[in-house]
Amino acid sequence: MAVSGTYAFNLDISDAIEEAFERAGLELRSGYDYRTARRSINLLMLEWQNRGLNLWTVKEGTQAITAGTSAYALDAEVFDIIEAFIRTNAGSTASQQDQTLTRISISQYAHLSNKLTQSKPLQYQIDKAPSQITVNLWPVPDSPSYSLVYYYLERIDDVGGVASNNMDVPARFLPCLVSGLAYQLSLKFPTSTPRAPTLKADYEEQWNLAADADREKASIYIAPGF
C-alpha cells in the first residue's frame, strides 16, 4: 500500500474559514463573510488563552535587573508568567545559580510592611494592565548582578490580513479551531443558529481532546508536609 510519506498537513486561514462555514451549513460568499470570520478567530484565540495553559505558547524570557528598582514592565506579547526565578552570575559555568521566586497576590503584596527593603528578591507579584503586565519584585533588588528569568505564556499571533498564512497553533489543534469557528459562525448567521448546540458540543469535545494531548506528561510526586 502506497502512502504519501509526508507529515506537513496544515490549513491556511482561508481553508480553515471555508471548512468552518461548511460545517455551519453556510457558504463563504463575500468579503464581509471572510472579515467577520477573521474577527471571530481572533476572539477565539483569546478565549483559548483564558481557558488555561497552552504548552506551545510557553516561552522563556529574561529581564535585566537594576539595583533599587522593583517594577519591570514586560513585552506586550507576555500573556502571563507561570514560573520565575532570580539568576546570579548568568553565563558562568562555574557559579551560575537560579533561585525560584514565589508568586504572591496583590493582597499579600499590599500587606508587606516595608516594600522598600533591599535584598535578593524572594517573591514577585504581577499587575495586569490592558496593554502589558508588570512584575513587582520583593525585596527590591540590591544588586545589578541579578537577572529575572521567567517562563511565560505568549499571546497567540493575530490572524492578520493574508489568507494564505497559517494560524499560530499546532496542527493537532486545527480540528478544535475549525469546530470553534463553526460554532461562533452559527451564533452570527440566523440560518445556522439551529446547529449551534451541536456545533458547541463538537467544539467542547475537540477542545478536550486537544487540551489532553497538549498536557504535560512529566511525572508528579506529591508528599505530605511536615
Side-chain angles (χ1 to χ4, degrees), residues 60-221:
E60 180 181 331
T62 303
Q63 172 67 50
I65 296 296
T66 303
T69 300
S70 62
Y72 298 88
L74 303 182
D75 293 335
E77 67 267 19
V78 178
F79 187 77
D80 199 1
I81 291 179
I82 54 177
E83 295 284 351
F85 45 93
I86 287 294
R87 176 168 293 170
T88 307
N89 300 324
S92 172
T93 58
S95 59
Q96 176 177 297
Q97 290 187 338
D98 293 339
Q99 175 182 296
T100 302
L101 296 177
T102 301
R103 182 166 176 169
I104 60 175
S105 66
I106 182 63
S107 177
Q108 291 171 303
Y109 185 76
H111 283 83
L112 294 173
S113 59
N114 187 349
K115 298 178 180 61
L116 301 180
T117 298
Q118 293 197 18
S119 183
K120 187 176 183 180
L122 300 171
Q123 300 174 321
Y124 71 101
Q125 179 267 329
I126 293 180
D127 288 332
K128 290 188 175 182
S131 58
Q132 62 185 159
I133 67 174
T134 298
V135 176
N136 296 302
L137 299 177
W138 189 89
V140 178
D142 62 349
S143 170
S145 65
Y146 306 134
S147 297
L148 173 64
V149 184
Y150 54 92
Y151 289 96
Y152 66 95
L153 296 177
E154 183 181 52
R155 282 191 59 169
I156 301 173
D157 284 5
D158 299 335
V159 175
V162 181
S164 60
N165 283 346
N166 300 119
M167 282 301 300
D168 180 29
V169 301
R172 62 183 177 273
F173 270 81
L174 289 177
C176 183
L177 169 64
V178 172
S179 296
L181 179 57
Y183 168 62
Q184 295 294 333
L185 293 173
S186 72
L187 301 178
K188 292 184 173 186
F189 292 86
T191 57
S192 186
T193 300
R195 295 193 181 201
T198 301
L199 293 173
K200 172 67 171 176
D202 178 59
Y203 170 43
E204 293 298 337
E205 180 182 4
Q206 293 298 331
W207 169 263
N208 289 332
L209 290 171
D212 184 65
D214 202 50
R215 64 182 173 84
E216 182 62 72
K217 303 300 193 302
S219 299
I220 298 177
Y221 299 93

Side-chain angles (χ1 to χ4, degrees), residues 9-52:
F9 173 78
N10 207 334
L11 292 176
D12 61 29
I13 293 170
S14 63
D15 284 338
I17 291 175
E18 185 176 6
E19 177 70 16
F21 264 85
E22 291 174 354
R23 292 192 185 191
L26 303 168
E27 292 185 14
L28 181 62
R29 294 180 175 178
S30 67
Y32 174 77
D33 289 343
Y34 178 72
R35 187 167 66 250
T36 192
R38 285 193 310 160
R39 185 167 62 245
S40 291
I41 293 177
N42 281 328
L43 292 171
L44 190 64
M45 294 302 98
L46 293 177
E47 179 201 321
W48 283 12
Q49 300 209 263
N50 288 332
R51 281 177 177 251

